[in-house]
Amino acid sequence: MPFDFKKAYKEFYMPKDTPQIVNVPTANFVAVRGKGDPNAENGAYQRAIGVLYAVAYTLKMSYKTDHPIDGFYEYVVPPLESFWWQEHSERINYADKSSFCWISVIRLPDFITKQDFDWAVDSAAKKKKLDCSSAEFLTICEGLCVQVMHHGTYDDEPQTVAIMDAYLAEHGYANDFSEDRLHHEIYLSDPRKVAPEKWKTVIRHPIRRLVVAHETD
């Protein structure tokens, strides 16, 4: 059977409905950066997703081409993920989607090198007649994070985030957002096929452990 990241790494793709602390290892991704409302029809975000899947599936099917990849094994393309932020703001303002900045990504198996990636970008562009120049080979190390499974629409996420924040406060942690550590979502449902109230989205935030000062005599 093809290797399935969701099944092999359930702790990162299938979290509980209550917050949990995880240490996320370094991984490689095909990524596209952009700005703007993700719901805009044929907008930058929608076009980025097209590029991501074009490159990801070119790599997945590479074993049927004349480009052999060392160590290749068949696998299921992992789910779409995105990192979100708004300039000059630590928190996400869901009411102002036009100011969203994002990095949309799909995870790559470890055997895929930058050279393999470059081949796939070029091949996808030629085969799909699609400009894939925005795709980049991106290595991300998230490290210590809190995550939870969110059920429902994306606009309802603040309720889930509030539960995550309360959990951190209770257990001696704090959010640790920065330019390199961002609000992270992993999409486990296809919004074209699943009713909004049944959507499943992993929400993951970077955190740090608080240092507790001990009183001395």
Side-chain angles (χ1 to χ4, degrees):
M1 290 182 62
F3 181 83
D4 191 330
F5 286 87
K6 296 193 301 299
K7 293 179 180 179
Y9 303 112
K10 290 183 178 180
E11 67 270 34
F12 303 124
Y13 289 99
M14 299 298 294
K16 299 178 181 179
D17 294 345
T18 54
Q20 62 186 104
I21 306 298
V22 291
N23 204 327
V24 185
T26 301
N28 296 324
F29 299 82
V30 49
V32 176
R33 302 171 188 263
K35 295 183 179 180
D37 187 343
N39 298 322
E41 187 173 354
N42 198 34
Y45 185 76
Q46 300 298 329
R47 294 195 301 272
I49 291 175
V51 171
L52 290 176
Y53 278 109
V55 175
Y57 274 94
T58 297
L59 286 164
K60 169 185 167 62
M61 302 305 295
S62 63
Y63 69 97
K64 293 187 175 182
T65 72
D66 58 0
H67 181 85
I69 295 179
D70 188 36
F72 182 93
Y73 51 77
E74 291 191 54
Y75 62 95
V76 177
V77 171
L80 176 70
E81 312 180 34
S82 289
F83 295 86
W84 299 90
W85 74 99
Q86 288 161 313
E87 294 178 353
H88 313 301
S89 176
E90 182 176 287
R91 292 293 180 171
I92 299 294
N93 178 4
Y94 292 81
D96 185 16
K97 294 181 175 61
S98 63
S99 68
F100 280 177
C101 301
W102 38 265
I103 307 173
S104 291
V105 304
I106 294 177
R107 185 171 177 174
L108 299 174
D110 291 342
F111 58 73
I112 292 176
T113 66
K114 179 61 165 55
Q115 290 71 31
D116 297 323
F117 176 84
D118 290 341
W119 164 84
V121 170
D122 183 63
S123 296
K126 292 177 180 176
K127 185 175 182 179
K128 303 289 185 180
K129 293 180 170 53
L130 178 68
D131 181 3
C132 295
S133 60
S134 59
E136 63 178 285
F137 185 86
L138 185 63
T139 301
I140 299 173
C141 182
E142 290 188 85
L144 193 65
C145 294
V146 61
Q147 66 179 19
V148 71
M149 184 71 80
H150 170 73
H151 298 267
T153 68
Y154 308 132
D155 286 341
D156 289 338
E157 287 184 8
Q159 302 168 32
T160 301
V161 170
I163 294 173
M164 296 167 69
D165 290 344
Y167 176 88
L168 294 179
E170 182 179 351
H171 291 82
Y173 293 89
N175 287 300
D176 191 30
F177 295 107
S178 68
E179 291 184 359
D180 299 318
R181 309 195 76 206
L182 303 164
H183 173 94
H184 184 183
E185 299 177 4
I186 304 174
Y187 309 107
L188 302 180
S189 303
D190 186 339
R192 300 169 299 178
K193 301 177 182 178
V194 180
E197 63 272 15
K198 295 183 179 180
W199 291 352
K200 292 183 179 180
T201 306
V202 180
I203 301 179
R204 185 182 295 162
H205 283 174
I207 62 172
R208 58 183 173 83
R209 183 183 293 274
L210 294 175
V211 177
V212 179
H214 295 280
E215 293 185 1
T216 57
D217 294 334

